[in-house]
Amino acid sequence: MALFAPVRSEKTDLDAVRRYAVSVIARSDGEDLQMKAVTLALLGGIMWRAAPGSTELIQDEASAKAILSTTLGGRHLTFSYDQNTESIEMREGTTDGPILHRFCNRTLVADFDQTFSALWR
């Protein structure tokens, strides 16, 4: 007899972030180590600061693009990978909202700190 009954997996913030990471890393040519690191650092910041229960993965049917939607510092933000610029765009509101920042393989640690710190002022 098992000590624990099997638990059915629920969709959580962490599930959404994990699926988004898999999607972005696959779309960003998978072999780009720097973009993998940028993606993981960005998603770590989201998990650290996002409002609990606000993070979800949305699939754009038209482009098969994965979109991460969350609330940070009281602001609704979306994150999506743009294959043309090879960057993750952080936008206000929806994927049509203004671009607040682009994260790419040239993003420095200080850029993450500066961008995320501005969300909590």
Side-chain angles (χ1 to χ4, degrees), residues 29-109:
D29 202 15
E31 298 301 318
D32 186 349
L33 182 60
Q34 182 68 20
M35 193 59 200
K36 285 181 187 178
V38 166
T39 301
L40 296 175
L42 174 62
L43 296 177
I46 290 169
M47 287 303 299
W48 174 45
R49 291 293 196 172
S54 71
T55 305
E56 66 178 326
L57 181 70
I58 303 163
Q59 287 294 135
D60 181 0
E61 298 291 330
S63 67
K65 183 188 293 189
I67 300 160
L68 193 67
S69 172
T70 194
T71 301
L72 290 162
R75 296 168 73 178
H76 180 254
L77 302 171
T78 56
F79 296 83
S80 60
Y81 181 74
D82 182 341
Q83 215 158 3
N84 295 325
T85 62
E86 296 181 341
S87 65
I88 298 172
E89 297 176 340
M90 178 175 78
R91 293 180 179 253
E92 183 82 42
T94 68
T95 56
D96 294 329
I99 297 173
L100 301 177
H101 196 80
R102 283 191 172 102
F103 299 92
C104 65
N105 64 5
R106 294 173 304 284
T107 302
L108 304 173
V109 172

Side-chain angles (χ1 to χ4, degrees), residues 106-118:
R106 294 173 304 284
T107 302
L108 304 173
V109 172
D111 295 334
F112 285 105
D113 184 47
Q114 188 175 26
T115 301
F116 279 86
S117 292

